[in-house]
Amino acid sequence: ALAAANRTGYPVALKTARDGLPHKSDHGGVLLGIADADQLQQMYEIMSHRLGEDVLVSAMAPVGVEMILGVNRDSQFGPVVLLGFGGVLAETINDVQFALPPFDAAHARRCVDRLRLRPLLDGVRGEPPVDIDAFCELAARFSAMAGALGDAITEVDVNPVIVHAAGAIAVDGLVVGRDRREADRAET
């Protein structure tokens, strides 16, 4: 962890790599803004005692607005993409739009423009506007992936996607593959 942080540069994020924890933050498995080697060593000791020694170390993402991209498999329509406001409050905020893949960035922009919290993307309280076009391009590419892998996946959750003044970056993701037996039953 120390070697990875030294290569990446501080501050860093520390995340458990323990299997079977799809939402690691719910278990205290994500620590952000670790400023130096001493703090990393302390946080690693705490996390490894609770969740095991395997961890991921990554650079901190720029400050921005937390968005979400997801795919769920609908029995009638196949893969359906959701996009909207994300982060740890995604389920509470519940400000998302749904679209059938694949779609282009212009369609993603129309979806974003229908979100209730859309004005947050223009910058509030002195914060700069974020790069909505970068998020929409990412959403369009994500939708192409969802369409191409529709038979192989049950669910994909990319949350958060940090949208900042100079782009958008996916920070965390969860992919649930579709059981081949389930796929065979659905096709008959």
Side-chain angles (χ1 to χ4, degrees), residues 143-155:
S143 81
M145 180 217 53
L149 296 177
D151 290 337
I153 57 174
T154 299
E155 174 186 355

Side-chain angles (χ1 to χ4, degrees), residues 8-9 14 32 44 66 89 109 122 129 135 144-145 160 164 182:
T8 301
L14 179 68
L32 304 175
Y44 176 81
E66 293 185 343
L89 299 177
R109 181 62 180 249
D122 294 327
F135 177 72
M145 180 217 53
H164 53 91
E182 172 191 337

